[in-house]
Amino acid sequence: MSSRYLLVLPLALALGCDDPESGPLQTDRNAFTYSAHMQGERTLYLRNGRGVIDVEPSADDTLRIEADISWRGGPERPDGVYLSANPTADGILVCSKFGEGTCTVEDYGIKGGRGNPFSSRGLRVAYRVKVPAGVKLDLIGVDTRITSASTAPVKAQSVNGDVTVVTAVGPVRASTINGDVDARMTTLAGGDSVVVSSLNGEAWVFLPETAAFTADLATTNGRVESDFPSLAGGSASRKSIDGAINGGGRVVHVRTLNGRVGVGRLDAEGRSYQRP
């Protein structure tokens, strides 16, 4: 499958044969907290190896992050995961560093294997983030579910886990390898295309019913659907849709290998006419 049809997450993932996770679930609540004044046009880079990333709008100009660490076994938290927050040239980088993995803006990888607490004791990190209006998001997870609600452009990528993105200002680039992707934008502001993809799972984009864009949707093993009543100048088939909506405009790419893909309409209040 070419890169035209699917964005593959560029992560170096080195996992050995995992030991089975056993024992009672333990949680260190608010094991990590961070806050900083952050205005629009800056970027929050957040990287998580295993767990959850939940983002919602902040009521002011302060970025707030809380993270729980959970594991299986005895009450003492095992070593193996290190959380940090550091400024970058254009924002803030928040990392969950597992084992001897790497964590930079450009490179994120985790290293597990037999005997490593990441594998044998099921270490997970659950982030709760409140992000100020206008702050861009760049979110990467490995075995991570990502849910994001914001008011600025978003990049959200996972390897194993669903990705859900809602934003008042696009564009959005959202992808996963194993899971579903649901991206919703109330405007198509900005100059970039929208790219939403999965390898094994459904991929959907929801846009305002008045939005002008060009749809480029395809699946290999599944079905393509559209809630928009017309595709001016385009063609529709069971496997693909390629055409203009409301006169055309920014291209909206939606791809999957195994699963449904679709484009849905949002009404004036941001509600979907038909939820997949």
Side-chain angles (χ1 to χ4, degrees), residues 162-173:
D162 294 342
V163 175
T164 302
V165 174
V166 179
T167 182
V169 179
V172 166
R173 289 179 175 259

Side-chain angles (χ1 to χ4, degrees), residues 15 19 24 63 79 86 99-100 115 120-121 137 141 153 168 171 201 245 256 267 274:
L15 292 177
D19 295 334
L63 170 71
D79 294 331
N86 294 288
E100 298 177 0
S120 61
R121 298 191 65 180
L137 295 173
I245 295 176
T256 189
D267 64 18
Q274 177 182 338

